[in-house]
Amino acid sequence: MSKNFTRRVTTAALTVFAITALSPVAQAEEEPAGLVTAAYATAPCDRSGTTSGDAALATQLNGTLTAKMRGYLTAYRMSCARMVVDAVRDRGLSQRAAAIAIATVIVETSLQNISEEVDHDSLGLFQQRASWGSATNRLNPVWATNAFLDKMVRVYPNGSWSSAPIGEVCQAVQVSAYPDRYQTEAGDAQKIVSALWQRSTTDGGDFDGNGVGDIYATGTGTLTIWNGKGSNNFGTADPVGGGWEGFTRPAAGDFNKDGKTDLAAVKNGTLYVWNGKGGNKFGAADAVGSGWEPFTAPVAGDFNNDGISDLSAVKDGTLYIWNGKGNNHFTPADTIGGGWEPFTAPIAGDFNDDGKTDLAAVRDGNTLYIWNGKGSNKFGAADAVGSGWGDYHATLMSLGDVNKDGHSDIGAINKTSGTLYLWNGKGGNKFGPADALGGGWLPHF
């Protein structure tokens, strides 16, 4: 059974022993003071190491957190959070389950995979005791997260954990000597989860791995990327490469599940995927399959909530979904439903902030509608968000999070002026006022 650390430690008095095959000593917390600056030996969370995206997200989030971890996130700590969040998604659970797990790990270990027995025989991210499993298992973030979730669903059957206070659930699983600390971290845990959850699974591309959505287009025959800098700001145009004539507008997602954003597009009825390498670079085109002639341009999203990018498209007024399996492979088309004739080709994003991919489209060239995803390729009823989209519907795009506030944003180009506008998401299918970014965009779209 897990406990919080019970001994106070000072850096001057602490001697850290080297452990073979483990990472260098990282920072850990002092308990019961709740600090994050005591040193313990740690094991890697991701055996492949940290990524540039981990470092970028740590920088992005450090100034937005309000509790224990404010200013203390590092690439290593973000890699640990990423492994926990991915394990929750791979299990098919929601963002709230991930927030419960992350809040627990923040309190227990400050997002570190502690590999020495500091508190009795506790080890790992969750400080699980020997009764939970072997040392090897407890130091495996995926195993440890699933062990935590196993107990959570036993203690809170029939999904009752999803409506209980986060701190209460954490305490019921951990049985800590400091039960009040978990709820304090719930808000920051949700911010971390939100930043990690939708990366590379919806149609908003992040090609440089900095955690901010980018703009991309191929209308000139050249793939051009404008990297997001946050606060609705973008870098200068990066002409990545030509030869895009005849392809549909690309969809951005992680189709080989390597953590980098890929592109998918159709030409002459064949679907191709270009796997991202980071830094606006891509591998060679991979011809995935034929038979795409009658469909609209594909759009990417995680419609079955398994953490792998899927594709959707419309044919003869019917919406279809191909669920991703990784390695650029997809399941056969799943027929979702008809009635799409009056709508533009849909875009995908998490517009109500529930961790599931939604669809948005414009009906009759005027009103924007959103269908909130329920997971398992299912959607709620159409929600009429607002009218006045007549000058924008042809270029509607999902951009991911371009102002770094944790919400999915959308963009479009005014067909008369050529000006690019952004509408920053507020959650709950709501958006802020249009923000004009400048003209001259029509040739690219």
Side-chain angles (χ1 to χ4, degrees):
M1 187 177 297
S2 173
K3 297 180 179 178
N4 295 98
F5 303 140
T6 56
R7 84 177 179 192
R8 295 181 62 88
V9 181
T10 60
T11 303
L14 180 67
T15 302
V16 179
F17 296 92
I19 297 180
T20 303
L22 298 184
S23 66
V25 172
Q27 299 298 309
E29 67 177 341
E30 287 184 1
E31 295 290 0
L35 301 178
V36 294
T37 55
Y40 297 101
T42 63
C45 284
D46 184 345
R47 286 184 292 180
S48 299
T50 63
T51 68
S52 59
D54 294 329
L57 279 180
T59 300
Q60 171 188 332
L61 289 166
N62 267 327
T64 69
L65 303 184
T66 59
K68 173 182 176 180
M69 297 309 301
R70 180 179 175 86
Y72 286 103
L73 289 181
T74 62
Y76 169 70
R77 283 172 163 147
M78 283 306 304
S79 74
C80 293
R82 170 168 54 82
M83 294 298 290
V84 172
V85 171
D86 283 352
V88 175
R89 286 201 311 185
D90 288 347
R91 186 165 172 147
L93 296 179
S94 68
Q95 274 199 53
R96 188 169 183 83
I100 292 168
I102 290 294
T104 302
V105 176
I106 289 174
V107 170
E108 296 290 344
T109 61
S110 303
L111 294 173
Q112 298 173 109
N113 198 13
I114 294 179
S115 55
E116 62 171 313
E117 295 179 347
V118 177
D119 178 27
H120 302 287
D121 52 9
S122 299
L123 286 175
L125 288 165
F126 294 86
Q127 284 296 281
Q128 291 157 335
R129 301 290 301 273
S131 59
W132 285 69
S134 69
T136 298
N137 282 341
R138 287 177 287 150
L139 289 172
N140 180 331
V142 176
W143 186 95
T145 302
N146 277 287
F148 175 89
L149 297 172
D150 286 343
K151 184 174 179 183
M152 181 185 77
V153 299
R154 288 197 306 270
V155 175
Y156 289 87
N158 303 316
S160 55
W161 53 265
S162 63
S163 57
I166 285 178
E168 174 188 302
V169 180
C170 298
Q171 171 63 11
V173 177
Q174 296 295 101
V175 193
S176 168
Y178 306 99
D180 295 336
R181 291 185 177 173
Y182 297 115
Q183 190 62 40
T184 302
E185 304 298 338
D188 282 357
Q190 185 58 63
K191 290 178 183 179
I192 292 170
V193 171
S194 295
L196 289 166
W197 193 266
Q198 286 294 328
R199 290 188 65 197
S200 299
T201 59
T202 63
D203 206 32
D206 177 16
F207 303 107
D208 59 352
N210 70 343
V212 184
D214 306 325
I215 298 172
Y216 63 100
T218 58
T220 62
T222 296
L223 172 63
T224 305
I225 294 175
W226 296 261
N227 294 123
K229 305 298 184 183
S231 302
N232 293 356
N233 294 320
F234 295 84
T236 57
D238 181 7
V240 176
W244 286 82
E245 297 88 349
F247 284 96
T248 60
R249 182 173 166 181
D254 184 9
F255 305 115
N256 62 348
K257 205 180 177 185
D258 68 349
K260 298 181 176 67
T261 304
D262 314 317
L263 288 173
V266 174
K267 182 175 183 179
N268 297 329
T270 298
L271 175 70
Y272 294 85
V273 171
W274 294 259
N275 291 127
K277 305 297 184 183
N280 296 352
K281 300 185 184 301
F282 299 86
D286 179 10
V288 175
S290 58
W292 286 77
E293 293 92 340
F295 291 94
T296 60
V299 60
D302 183 12
F303 304 111
N304 61 350
N305 211 39
D306 67 351
I308 307 174
S309 293
D310 313 316
L311 289 174
S312 68
V314 175
K315 171 186 174 184
D316 298 329
T318 298
L319 177 70
Y320 296 83
I321 289 177
W322 295 259
N323 292 125
K325 300 168 64 179
N327 298 317
N328 299 345
H329 295 156
F330 299 86
T331 62
D334 182 7
T335 304
I336 306 304
W340 287 80
E341 292 91 344
F343 293 94
T344 58
I347 61 173
D350 182 12
F351 305 117
N352 64 345
D353 287 350
D354 69 348
K356 299 181 177 67
T357 303
D358 313 317
L359 289 174
V362 176
R363 180 186 173 97
D364 299 326
N366 184 56
T367 302
L368 178 68
Y369 288 81
I370 290 177
W371 295 259
N372 292 127
K374 304 297 184 183
S376 303
N377 297 349
K378 300 184 183 302
F379 299 87
D383 179 11
V385 176
S387 58
W389 289 84
D391 286 331
Y392 305 96
H393 66 84
T395 57
L396 192 67
M397 61 185 118
S398 179
L399 297 174
D401 181 12
V402 297
N403 63 342
K404 296 171 63 174
D405 67 351
H407 303 295
S408 293
D409 309 318
I410 59 175
I413 298 162
N414 185 293
K415 68 179 182 181
T416 302
S417 67
T419 299
L420 172 66
Y421 289 86
L422 298 183
W423 291 263
N424 293 126
K426 302 297 182 183
N429 297 347
K430 300 183 183 302
F431 298 87
D435 182 8
L437 267 66
W441 289 83
L442 275 180
H444 292 284
F445 292 87

